[in-house]
Amino acid sequence: MDKKESLSQHLIDFLSNQILTEMRPNDRLPSERDLMLQFNVSRTTVRNALDKLELSGLVTRMHGKGTFVTSRSESLTNLADLFSFSKTMELQGRTPSDRIIKFKRISADEELIQRLNLKENLNVFEVDRIRMASGKPMMFGKSFLPAEVFENLTRQQLEEKSMYKTFEDDYNVQIKEADESCRASILNEKISNLLDEKPGAPCLRLERVTMDNNGRAIEYTISWARADEFNYRVKHLYR
């Protein structure tokens, strides 16, 4: 990380902490000029930091008026940052938690064999979870993990820490990238009950295949996210 990036990250860390611990929704942040003087940084550094805070959903910038703390219910989630639900919720000042409602070793069907590129061991672990933020159901997910990678995986491991943390700590599996797609959908009766919603309520349906450093598929997950709790932003770069 070069000096400019370091200064920007320091400013991001400071403002994030202020927003999450001392400020309220709709509070106004110091002006760009005030931040420049306070931290002795350039306007470019300040704007880069505010851009990232806006993409994370912590602030809203209004032309000619300033930068304001975003209401939690209006927080925007950058799709590129939804790689970790736990980290995204923490960044928004919420406490992430999971409630596992199913943990079972099963035989993979043709779709799972293809998604996870299974060769010899055709068993997978199915993990169904309700993803919560500060106790409120936000998302329901069905994850399928290859048994040949996570042999002897237990429910207790996933209840003690996050899934990705378990991958890294207990199996030395380093996550590199994920291929994810999303589309608008509606909640069926079963999932709506799990998320304290009405059947037929709108949601975002996401499908993800996660890869490790060796290019090996280590997770296939289907998730249904409440539409009233997630507003998404995608930033396009013109090259």
Side-chain angles (χ1 to χ4, degrees):
M1 181 181 294
D2 60 28
K3 183 177 180 181
K4 185 180 295 185
E5 290 177 333
S6 178
L7 290 172
S8 179
Q9 189 59 52
H10 174 69
L11 183 55
I12 291 170
D13 292 342
F14 175 83
L15 291 175
S16 296
N17 183 66
Q18 291 288 106
I19 291 168
L20 297 176
T21 62
E22 299 183 17
M23 302 183 74
R24 296 182 178 182
N26 301 317
D27 279 355
R28 183 175 178 175
L29 271 67
S31 68
E32 290 184 2
R33 180 173 177 77
D34 287 342
L35 290 172
M36 289 167 57
L37 294 174
Q38 181 179 350
F39 291 91
N40 192 29
V41 294
S42 68
R43 186 177 297 274
T44 299
T45 297
V46 170
R47 288 182 174 175
N48 285 340
L50 293 178
D51 282 345
K52 291 182 179 179
L53 288 173
E54 186 175 28
L55 282 173
S56 73
L58 287 178
V59 302
T60 300
R61 302 172 75 183
M62 302 177 66
H63 182 68
K65 295 184 178 181
T67 303
F68 300 85
V69 177
T70 305
S71 170
R72 292 289 177 263
S73 63
E74 297 173 355
S75 292
L76 291 169
T77 299
N78 182 9
L79 281 175
D81 290 337
L82 196 60
F83 195 72
S84 170
F85 173 87
S86 297
K87 290 182 179 179
T88 301
M89 292 301 104
E90 288 173 352
L91 191 59
Q92 294 183 4
R94 301 180 177 188
T95 302
S97 62
D98 291 339
R99 179 157 64 90
I100 298 176
I101 60 175
K102 182 179 181 180
F103 179 88
K104 187 177 182 180
R105 184 170 178 145
I106 63 173
S107 296
D109 59 18
E110 288 299 322
E111 181 180 5
L112 290 176
I113 291 173
Q114 181 179 358
R115 296 278 188 178
L116 294 171
N117 194 27
L118 301 177
K119 301 298 185 183
E120 297 180 2
N121 187 339
L122 302 184
N123 291 323
V124 298
F125 291 101
E126 178 183 348
V127 184
D128 294 1
R129 300 177 293 169
I130 301 174
R131 319 296 308 274
M132 295 182 287
S134 299
K136 184 173 185 177
M138 302 282 286
M139 180 185 295
F140 170 70
K142 296 176 71 71
S143 297
F144 300 92
L145 315 174
E148 62 183 2
V149 178
F150 304 107
E151 191 65 42
N152 301 320
L153 179 69
T154 67
R155 181 177 187 142
Q156 182 178 355
Q157 286 174 278
L158 299 177
E159 289 176 336
E160 291 177 347
K161 51 190 170 184
S162 73
M163 182 177 289
Y164 287 175
K165 188 68 172 172
T166 299
F167 291 175
E168 295 176 358
D169 292 352
D170 299 351
Y171 295 92
N172 196 31
V173 171
Q174 302 297 318
I175 297 170
K176 181 181 181 182
E177 60 186 13
D179 183 7
E180 186 166 60
S181 62
C182 62
R183 62 180 173 85
S185 185
I186 60 174
L187 297 174
N188 62 30
E189 184 174 1
K190 177 182 177 181
I191 297 177
S192 64
N193 288 335
L194 294 174
L195 297 180
D196 292 339
E197 262 287 12
K198 296 180 180 179
C203 70
L204 190 68
R205 186 180 188 276
L206 304 102
E207 290 191 40
R208 170 191 296 173
V209 176
T210 305
M211 317 292 287
D212 68 3
N213 278 338
N214 298 316
R216 177 178 55 177
I218 58 171
E219 173 204 17
Y220 171 56
T221 293
I222 310 171
S223 300
W224 293 261
R226 291 178 53 148
D228 63 336
E229 288 292 341
F230 288 91
N231 293 304
Y232 294 96
R233 165 175 292 162
V234 178
K235 184 175 183 179
H236 298 281
L237 299 178
Y238 180 78
R239 299 184 185 278

